[in-house]
Amino acid sequence: MYQQQGLLEYPKNVITTMKKINLWMLAAILTCGLTLTSCVKEDNAAVPVVPGGELVQPENDFETMVPALPGNPEVIAALQKIPGVKDVKCFHNVNMGECYFFNFEQDIDHMNPALGKFKQQVVLKYKGKDAHTVLLTEGYALRGDPEEDKNRLDSILPPDIVTTYKTNCVAVEHRYHGWSLPQGYSNEFTFLNTWQQSSDLHCIVTALKASGMFSGKWVSTGVSKSGETTAYYAYHYPNEMDAYVPYCGPYLTSLNDKRVGTQVLTAPDLKDELEKTKAAIRYAFSNKTLLNQLTAWYATEKAKTVKGMTQAQIEAMFAVDILGNLFDKEGYVHVNLWRSWIPTETSSAEEFYKFFMADKSTKYKNETKQEIAARQALAKHELNVQTGFGFLGRRAAAPAKRLDPYVAQTCVDLGNFSWDYAWFEDLLTPQQWKELNAYELNPKTFGVTYDNGKFINEFLEGMKTTPCKMLFVYGGSDPWTGGAIADDIVNANPNISKMIVQYGIHNDTTSYWTEANKKQLSDFLDPFLK
């Protein structure tokens, strides 16, 4: 996801690996084994110089490949009358049926409208004027099925509460992602921050409400960074929604926040499983015969990446990938599907390797289609460069050409996280230990300035007094819960509440929730959406 330096001496110009994850954010993982772009020896402090003509904006395949439908002429006419709405198109979404696409003309800089406009993508599922409306505050590009990445907008998944309550749905792409590009197809991120995006949402919601097309109540929601976007919108423009439900959003107060990295090996819902997992890792690293076999397979799998590395460096990179795969299991696959698969001292080397690396040939028992898709996405240790960010679809750019706007924003006002290696320090050499703990994102890589946690701390302080009705939802198995909003903040304000879903993972799907968790959500939402 970003250019990494200072962790391991990797060969120049090698594209390293990443664990692809659902609904955001392993983009933040501070490990060379999990990055998107090159691991290089040079200091990348300077803003990258891009040769002229290299960043040519590709064609938006949605506009050319997804056929238009007649739609409801009255809805199309009403949308076309809204100031700022352009390019209205009715189309079929495989998950929501008939939907409407439009671009909304936004200020490039809401503090300086004279700079001009850019087009921001919006998708509307419209059930009628009297229906309530859910605003999906996307944190990335609008996207859907990984196999339909080119035509992302026709496979967008609606938030779970849209399906449950049968509401309208307005999905807004985040600026600088997908085809919503204030500064075009470039590596400039001048107007990328939470206030600018919240102002985008404010302008769209204000225009839609004024149109007379929406008379019901409004609820805003999103998962992961999309959940963060919901919370920041509530902070910057309070009470524009009747209620807010941000799922799984971490609030990180530095570029090296270890709470998420620590949560990977301390999640309370996974106490027994994590003790067995840590024992398995320790056994693998202390049994040199086993470790040599595992790293031999690993080196073969990643031959191009590890070329020129020492055995100690390969072992360190292997440890990084083990943590990344564990992160993925906890965040995206229910514990019932992997708790019995943890290797022990009597397990074969193959069983150790399959558990550590979560390769796509390994099958869990009783997998749902969603879990199969998640596992397959996690297991790919290389990018699909044709789609830029693979199934996440965060941008219309190949990784070697365009820097990741998400990681750029972590260096502006979102913060980032790092692993906590302390629990197995004794298994590493002093040099490995030093290298693994040396890395921190450098904002200069993206031509931006980090605020040193100023915004996030102001946001958290603001939650103590916000008038917004908010329910923060987290998963008990999800590593991102390590960055959850603190209990003392929630307890200070009767307007906000927090729910930890038992064995919950990194999504808003309620099908596996306990009845108590489902009731807590419905008790909050029923007054607004039922």
Side-chain angles (χ1 to χ4, degrees), residues 41 340 361 404:
K41 294 182 179 180
S340 62
S361 64
D404 184 359

Side-chain angles (χ1 to χ4, degrees), residues 119-169:
K119 289 183 176 181
Q120 187 168 32
Q121 293 195 137
V122 182
V123 168
L124 166 66
K125 170 63 180 177
Y126 191 66
K127 298 187 73 69
K129 176 181 178 179
D130 296 329
H132 301 306
T133 301
V134 170
L135 174 68
L136 171 57
T137 57
E138 182 57 67
Y140 303 107
L142 291 174
R143 71 227 188 244
D145 189 285
E147 300 303 321
E148 298 293 335
D149 193 66
K150 279 192 170 184
N151 304 333
R152 291 173 302 182
L153 302 184
D154 66 354
S155 59
I156 294 172
L157 284 167
D160 196 66
I161 60 178
V162 168
T163 304
T164 301
Y165 288 93
K166 298 178 173 55
T167 68
N168 299 319
C169 180

Side-chain angles (χ1 to χ4, degrees), residues 140-331:
Y140 303 107
L142 291 174
R143 71 227 188 244
D145 189 285
E147 300 303 321
E148 298 293 335
D149 193 66
K150 279 192 170 184
N151 304 333
R152 291 173 302 182
L153 302 184
D154 66 354
S155 59
I156 294 172
L157 284 167
D160 196 66
I161 60 178
V162 168
T163 304
T164 301
Y165 288 93
K166 298 178 173 55
T167 68
N168 299 319
C169 180
V170 178
V172 180
E173 187 163 77
H174 199 289
R175 61 167 48 210
Y176 286 91
H177 295 266
W179 278 267
S180 300
L181 304 172
Q183 294 177 281
Y185 199 66
S186 73
N187 277 325
E188 295 180 281
F189 304 101
T190 313
F191 310 106
L192 176 60
N193 57 51
T194 64
W195 181 80
Q196 293 281 4
Q197 175 63 12
S198 296
S199 297
D200 292 341
L201 296 170
H202 164 72
C203 292
I204 291 171
V205 169
T206 300
L208 293 181
K209 286 183 175 181
S211 71
M213 294 179 65
F214 305 86
S215 62
K217 297 190 181 212
W218 286 69
V219 171
S220 176
T221 193
V223 178
S224 196
K225 183 169 180 279
S226 304
E228 289 182 77
T229 306
T230 290
Y232 302 145
Y233 175 47
Y235 172 75
H236 289 299
Y237 291 92
N239 280 348
E240 290 200 345
M241 299 283 106
D242 293 283
Y244 305 78
V245 188
Y247 291 83
C248 308
Y251 305 99
L252 308 176
T253 57
S254 75
L255 291 179
N256 193 29
D257 193 324
K258 281 190 163 55
R259 291 175 298 157
V260 173
T262 299
Q263 184 83 359
V264 175
L265 288 156
T266 59
D269 277 13
L270 304 175
K271 183 177 179 181
D272 292 342
E273 290 78 15
L274 291 178
E275 288 305 313
K276 294 175 182 177
T277 299
K278 285 188 279 190
I281 297 173
R282 293 190 65 82
Y283 177 74
F285 271 79
S286 60
N287 184 323
K288 289 304 179 183
T289 301
L290 175 59
L291 183 61
N292 287 340
Q293 177 63 77
L294 297 176
T295 54
W297 287 331
Y298 181 76
T300 299
E301 179 182 342
K302 303 189 180 289
K304 292 181 180 180
T305 303
V306 304
K307 184 178 180 181
M309 286 188 186
T310 65
Q311 177 63 21
Q313 288 174 322
I314 293 173
E315 290 174 6
M317 185 176 170
F318 184 50
V320 164
D321 266 3
I322 288 173
L323 286 184
N325 279 297
L326 181 59
F327 180 108
D328 295 344
K329 289 187 190 74
E330 292 179 28

Side-chain angles (χ1 to χ4, degrees), residues 435-455:
E435 290 174 335
L436 289 174
N437 284 279
Y439 181 75
E440 184 172 293
L441 269 175
N442 189 341
K444 290 183 180 180
T445 301
F446 304 92
V448 299
T449 301
Y450 181 52
D451 70 353
N452 294 315
K454 181 176 181 291
F455 167 69

